[in-house]
Each structure stands twice: as C-alpha cells, then as structure tokens.
Amino acid sequence: MYGPPEHVEAGGLMAYGVSAAELSRRASILVGKILQGAKPADLPVEQPTKFVLVINVKTAKALGLKIPPALLQRADQVIE
C-alpha cells in the first residue's frame, strides 16, 4: 500500500493518496499569487481535498491476490 499513486504506476499493488500532479498544480497557483504581489503570510494554508485510489491488477495477479470487484469499482484508476 502506497500513498502516492505514481508508485502503483511503477508496479506497486495499490495506493490511496494525493496525486503529486495535483499538489504541484495547487502549489503553482500559490506561487502565481505571490508573484503577483500577495504576501505569503496572508495566503491560507491548504490541505488536499481530492484523494485517489489506484489498484494494479497485474501486480495483484503476480502476488496471487484477488481484488474484490466492489473495491475495483470504487477505484479511481485500475491498471490492468
């Protein structure tokens, strides 16, 4: 079980966490505000609001695991 979904794309079994791309996107918005003159101390602290569940079925088969269909349906991304 991993946090970053990118680890599952590299062969991990499953991940539940925030995408690094989404975090980078949000950070770039804050950097843009700072470059436009906003004071960093005046910007709100943000926490992730969207989490993704990614499951690698190929890795599960290699490990001899069967992922329940209900869990596969809930996954945001299933890697075959």
Side-chain angles (χ1 to χ4, degrees):
M1 187 73 183
Y2 295 94
E6 292 79 14
H7 289 278
V8 177
E9 295 167 3
L13 178 60
M14 64 176 59
Y16 182 71
V18 181
S19 169
E22 181 65 25
L23 288 178
S24 296
R25 195 172 302 115
R26 295 300 307 155
S28 65
I29 292 171
L30 292 175
V31 168
K33 289 179 181 181
I34 292 169
L35 292 175
Q36 291 175 352
K39 294 181 183 177
D42 294 339
L43 296 176
V45 174
E46 294 186 10
Q47 292 195 14
T49 56
K50 184 178 181 207
F51 293 84
V52 293
L53 173 62
V54 182
I55 300 172
N56 190 328
V57 176
K58 182 178 176 183
T59 300
K61 287 180 184 176
L63 293 171
L65 301 173
K66 184 174 183 208
I67 306 295
L71 186 59
L72 291 173
Q73 290 175 346
R74 294 190 68 137
D76 296 295
Q77 181 182 0
V78 176
I79 299 172
E80 300 287 337

